[in-house]
């Protein structure tokens, strides 16, 4: 299964959202080794979370240009999800794109 995850909270260092997400991912990645994970973000992941990126079943999809979060979420992310043929998507900030994703 291809699982897409909005990892934008991991771009800001240790915050409440990023700590919750990082700890959840550490457990999830151990339990779902046969799944393929796609980490989506509009910014680089903060170095404090580099341990999460060392798993072989992770593909990091980072935007090369600066795009504000709401624009990224609603206009860029849906095409990244379609292009990578994601089966499930976890919107970690309790937000999903306004357009239907079809997943």
């Amino acid at each position: 299964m291809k699982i897409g995850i909005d990892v934008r909270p991991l771009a800001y260092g240790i915050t409440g959202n990023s700590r919750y997400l990082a700890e959840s991912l550490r457990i999830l990645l151990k339990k779902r080794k046969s799944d393929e994970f796609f980490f989506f973000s509009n910014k680089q992941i903060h170095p404090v979370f580099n341990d999460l990126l060392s798993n072989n079943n992770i593909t990091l999809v980072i935007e090369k240009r600066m795009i504000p979060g709401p624009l990224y979420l609603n206009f860029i992310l849906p095409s990244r999800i379609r292009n990578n043929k994601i089966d499930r998507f976890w919107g970690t900030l309790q937000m999903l794109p306004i357009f239907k994703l079809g997943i």
Side-chain angles (χ1 to χ4, degrees):
M1 179 182 305
K2 290 184 173 184
I3 301 170
I5 302 174
D6 180 358
V7 296
R8 290 179 295 153
L10 302 182
Y12 299 98
I14 302 291
T15 66
N17 284 339
S18 68
R19 182 161 186 214
Y20 170 78
L21 176 57
E23 295 302 323
S24 297
L25 288 173
R26 286 183 180 105
I27 294 167
L28 183 65
L29 293 169
K30 284 180 188 174
K31 292 185 181 237
R32 304 297 298 248
K33 291 183 180 184
S34 63
D35 292 323
E36 193 174 350
F37 291 89
F38 288 77
F39 287 4
F40 297 102
S41 181
N42 62 328
K43 296 180 180 178
Q44 289 294 326
I45 305 302
H46 193 280
V48 74
F49 300 113
N50 281 345
D51 67 298
L52 292 171
L53 307 177
S54 63
N55 290 306
N56 295 333
N57 58 340
I58 293 175
T59 301
L60 188 59
V61 182
I62 304 291
E63 291 305 309
K64 294 178 179 21
R65 55 199 159 133
M66 290 297 289
I67 299 172
L71 293 177
Y72 172 77
L73 176 70
N74 290 301
F75 299 106
I76 305 297
L77 183 58
S79 66
R80 301 292 181 256
I81 289 170
R82 278 191 299 280
N83 292 344
N84 289 289
K85 298 181 171 94
I86 300 300
D87 298 308
R88 301 285 183 267
F89 180 73
W90 178 16
T92 60
L93 293 171
Q94 293 77 40
M95 294 185 293
L96 294 173
I98 57 174
F99 302 108
K100 187 175 179 180
L101 295 175
I103 58 173

